[in-house]
Amino acid sequence: MTVEATTERVLRLLALLQRQPSWTAAELAVELGVTDRSVRRDVERLRALGYPVHATPGVGGGYQLGAGTRLPPLLLDDEEAIATAVSLRLASGGTVAGAGESALRALAKLDQVMPSRLRAEVRAVYGATDTLVGPGVEIDAELLVTLARACRDAVRVRFRYPGRDGGEGERTVEPVRMVTTGRRWYLMAWDVDRENWRTFRLDRMREVETTTWRFRPREHPDPVAYVQRSVTEAPYRYLARVRVHAPPDRVRQLVPPQVGRVEGDRDGWCVLVVGGDDLHWLAAHVARLGFEAEVLEPPELREAAAVLARRLAAIAGTA
């Protein structure tokens, strides 16, 4: 057998190992059209190239592609290559500090080896797509890794964080999950000193370090729902509850999760919970949704809506 044929077979073996978690030698031999002995030799060739192929002996055993000390080259099919290229392009304008440069380097490597037919499809997607980049806050990638490991390993984290009075104090927490709204990153964690769940903005955390204290994970609220509640209510002077005559999913399409929360679905109505520091802004925000609405609270929002209505009537010349 020629070297080219052997190389092709080894690459096919790698693709098979990436396709599903585990294979027996007999299954691989059938897929490749070779003997079990040839499969074992090809596995050794992959190991020599840096691919950690684990073997489990006995009945029911087989070969499995594991994680090694370095990242070896990956084999991607057409759909995976296109999805990866598009994702890298989007990541190049993300909110993780340094990720944009890394994404562009990876994209350049992928573009260099990508077949021309796939390159044309990817560029067609690029040409037909624009990204609206908001004023997001960049987060250090090392901070993300540190917190991700702490969540995974259930170890406490210590950091400095500003309080409501403007001062900065030390916080010790038991992290659960990081949540991103697209513009900002948040950590949901159990605050050890305050004995309650808290949400922390990653861009406000300083001197973050993991401790050696392991904790037993406790029952916790849904991280996404908890963070959404925190970011839509806690920071604002006013919290409005408005009944809206529209399906919840339709309102959610118009109100980003970091701006408002939609509850219930009864008789074609739902409740929008939205926070703000200015009642007139809240009134205008509800009015622009274009649905029939009823203010539940606060009462001052009804007054602000009346003022807005008079102003709009004056502009329209119907006052």
Side-chain angles (χ1 to χ4, degrees):
M1 181 172 290
T2 64
V3 174
E4 290 79 5
T6 301
T7 301
E8 180 182 356
R9 191 180 67 239
V10 171
L11 290 175
R12 287 179 56 202
L13 172 60
L14 176 59
L16 291 172
L17 292 172
Q18 290 178 342
R19 196 170 72 189
Q20 73 181 38
S22 182
W23 294 83
T24 65
E27 290 172 335
L28 291 173
V30 171
E31 290 284 340
L32 298 172
V34 296
T35 63
D36 291 5
R37 184 178 178 182
S38 294
V39 169
R40 289 193 294 271
R41 285 200 299 263
D42 290 344
V43 166
E44 290 303 321
R45 292 186 175 101
L46 284 178
R47 289 170 176 165
L49 293 173
Y51 293 92
V53 183
H54 303 311
T56 304
V59 179
Y63 293 104
Q64 185 176 23
L65 190 62
T69 57
R70 62 185 178 88
L71 182 64
L74 302 175
L75 288 182
L76 303 175
D77 61 26
D78 290 1
E79 293 182 355
E80 292 169 342
I82 294 174
T84 301
V86 173
S87 299
L88 287 170
R89 175 57 64 91
L90 294 175
S92 65
T95 57
V96 180
E101 182 180 350
S102 299
L104 288 175
R105 289 201 307 268
L107 185 61
K109 293 179 181 178
L110 184 60
D111 187 73
Q112 183 178 4
V113 299
M114 187 179 290
S116 57
R117 56 185 175 80
L118 295 185
R119 190 181 296 115
E121 292 188 28
V122 171
R123 289 178 177 172
V125 175
Y126 293 163
T129 306
D130 284 321
T131 301
L132 181 61
V133 180
V137 179
E138 283 196 345
I139 302 299
D140 182 39
E142 185 175 349
L143 173 60
L144 291 179
V145 173
T146 298
L147 294 177
R149 288 173 177 166
C151 292
R152 180 196 64 190
D153 300 335
V155 295
R156 287 183 177 179
V157 176
R158 186 182 298 115
F159 54 90
R160 300 191 65 79
Y161 198 79
R164 293 183 181 275
D165 57 358
E168 192 175 75
E170 187 175 86
R171 312 292 281 269
T172 301
V173 303
E174 297 175 354
V176 173
R177 190 74 54 83
M178 287 185 291
V179 178
T180 178
T181 65
R183 293 180 60 248
R184 291 192 176 98
W185 287 78
Y186 297 87
L187 173 70
M188 174 186 161
W190 176 264
D191 192 312
V192 175
D193 296 325
R194 291 158 180 77
E195 297 186 340
N196 206 344
W197 295 107
R198 289 288 189 272
T199 297
F200 302 94
R201 275 177 51 174
L202 268 63
D203 59 296
R204 293 180 176 175
M205 300 167 68
R206 301 287 182 268
E207 302 175 18
V208 181
E209 61 178 11
T210 55
T211 70
T212 57
W213 184 289
R214 290 186 176 272
F215 63 88
R216 177 176 296 178
R218 64 186 78 215
E219 292 292 328
H220 58 77
D222 176 72
V224 173
Y226 185 84
V227 169
Q228 184 188 20
R229 181 181 296 272
S230 298
V231 301
T232 56
E233 296 181 8
Y236 301 109
R237 179 181 178 186
Y238 301 103
L239 181 64
R241 294 177 58 86
V242 181
R243 290 185 71 230
V244 180
H245 195 190
D249 289 342
R250 181 71 182 109
V251 179
R252 291 189 183 101
Q253 291 175 357
L254 300 173
V255 181
Q258 67 269 26
V259 173
R261 188 176 75 254
V262 182
E263 301 175 342
D265 182 7
R266 184 176 181 181
D267 299 328
W269 291 76
C270 62
V271 175
L272 171 64
V273 182
V274 59
D277 294 324
D278 185 281
L279 288 171
H280 296 92
W281 178 89
L282 285 171
H285 183 70
V286 173
R288 66 178 290 275
L289 296 178
F291 303 119
E292 180 183 354
E294 174 190 354
V295 175
L296 301 179
E297 57 182 352
E300 296 85 357
L301 181 58
R302 298 191 189 96
E303 300 174 11
V307 172
L308 176 64
R310 290 195 293 269
R311 290 175 179 172
L312 291 176
I315 294 173
T318 58

